[in-house]
Coordinates of all heavy atoms in Angstrom, one line a residue:
A17 N 14.8 -1.3 21.9 CA 13.7 -1.9 21.4 C 12.5 -1.7 22.4 O 11.4 -1.7 22.0 CB 13.9 -3.3 21.0
G20 N 12.7 1.3 28.8 CA 13.0 0.8 30.1 C 13.8 -0.5 30.0 O 14.1 -1.1 31.0
Y75 N -14.3 -18.2 -3.7 CA -13.0 -18.6 -4.2 C -11.9 -17.6 -4.0 O -10.7 -18.0 -3.8 CB -13.2 -18.7 -5.7 CG -11.9 -19.2 -6.4 CD1 -11.4 -20.7 -6.2 CD2 -11.0 -18.4 -7.0 CE1 -10.2 -20.9 -6.8 CE2 -9.8 -18.7 -7.6 CZ -9.4 -20.0 -7.5 OH -8.3 -20.6 -8.1
H95 N 14.2 -23.1 2.1 CA 15.0 -22.6 3.2 C 15.7 -23.6 3.8 O 16.9 -23.5 4.2 CB 13.9 -21.9 4.2 CG 14.6 -21.1 5.2 ND1 13.9 -20.6 6.4 CD2 15.8 -20.7 5.5 CE1 14.7 -20.0 7.1 NE2 15.9 -20.0 6.6
R109 N 23.8 -16.8 3.2 CA 24.5 -16.2 4.2 C 24.3 -14.8 4.5 O 24.3 -14.4 5.6 CB 26.0 -16.4 3.8 CG 27.0 -15.8 4.8 CD 28.4 -16.0 4.4 NE 28.8 -17.3 4.8 CZ 29.9 -18.1 4.4 NH1 30.7 -17.4 3.6 NH2 30.2 -19.2 4.7
H147 N -7.5 -13.7 -8.5 CA -7.9 -12.3 -8.9 C -6.7 -11.3 -8.4 O -5.9 -11.7 -7.6 CB -9.2 -12.1 -7.9 CG -9.8 -10.7 -8.4 ND1 -9.2 -9.5 -8.0 CD2 -10.8 -10.5 -9.1 CE1 -10.1 -8.5 -8.5 NE2 -11.0 -9.1 -9.1
I149 N -6.6 -8.8 -6.7 CA -6.8 -8.3 -5.4 C -6.2 -9.4 -4.6 O -5.5 -9.2 -3.5 CB -8.3 -8.0 -5.0 CG1 -8.7 -6.8 -5.7 CG2 -8.4 -8.0 -3.7 CD1 -10.3 -6.6 -5.5
L193 N 14.4 -17.8 16.9 CA 15.3 -18.9 17.3 C 16.0 -19.5 16.1 O 17.2 -20.1 16.2 CB 14.3 -20.1 18.0 CG 13.9 -19.7 19.4 CD1 12.9 -20.8 19.7 CD2 15.1 -19.7 20.2
F202 N 12.1 -23.4 9.9 CA 12.3 -23.0 8.6 C 11.1 -22.5 7.9 O 11.2 -22.0 6.7 CB 12.9 -24.3 7.9 CG 14.3 -24.8 8.3 CD1 14.3 -25.9 9.1 CD2 15.5 -24.1 7.9 CE1 15.6 -26.3 9.5 CE2 16.7 -24.6 8.3 CZ 16.8 -25.6 9.0
T207 N 3.6 -23.2 11.6 CA 4.7 -24.0 12.2 C 4.4 -25.5 12.0 O 5.3 -26.2 12.3 CB 4.5 -23.8 13.8 OG1 3.1 -24.2 14.2 CG2 4.7 -22.4 14.3
F208 N 3.4 -25.8 11.1 CA 3.2 -27.3 11.1 C 4.3 -28.1 10.3 O 4.5 -29.2 10.5 CB 1.9 -27.6 10.5 CG 1.5 -27.0 9.1 CD1 2.0 -27.6 7.9 CD2 0.7 -25.9 9.0 CE1 1.7 -27.0 6.8 CE2 0.4 -25.3 7.8 CZ 0.8 -26.0 6.7
D219 N 12.1 -26.5 23.1 CA 11.8 -25.6 24.2 C 10.8 -24.6 23.8 O 10.1 -24.1 24.6 CB 13.2 -24.8 24.4 CG 14.2 -25.6 24.9 OD1 13.9 -26.7 25.5 OD2 15.5 -25.3 24.9

Side-chain angles (χ1 to χ4, degrees):
Y75 182 76
H95 190 190
R109 175 174 286 165
H147 193 281
I149 291 177
L193 284 175
F202 296 100
T207 63
F208 56 78
D219 293 339

